[in-house]
Amino acid sequence: MLTALADALSEHPEELMALGVLLGMAVGESSLIQRAPEIPEGATQGEYALLLRLTVLGVHP
């Protein structure tokens, strides 16, 4: 599910990432919110998508 979220976020990589975006995409998926990493301040959706993919791979920057 994190990979699917990363794919969706990659559609608008230049837009700023916000908690509301994450919550809106994860409606009904509370386990997704628990597994998703913290959103870095000022991160774009593309940057957060990359962070999600690294999380899936088990890499923690």
Side-chain angles (χ1 to χ4, degrees), residues 14-60:
E14 68 288 342
E15 293 183 24
L16 286 178
M17 185 60 194
L19 182 58
V21 173
L22 181 60
L23 292 174
M25 297 180 117
V27 171
E29 297 288 337
S30 62
S31 64
L32 175 68
I33 299 297
Q34 294 171 346
R35 294 189 331 248
E38 182 177 326
I39 300 169
E41 186 175 333
T44 64
Q45 289 185 19
E47 293 166 338
Y48 191 67
L50 178 59
L51 184 57
L52 287 172
R53 287 188 172 94
L54 289 173
T55 299
V56 168
L57 293 173
V59 177
H60 300 282

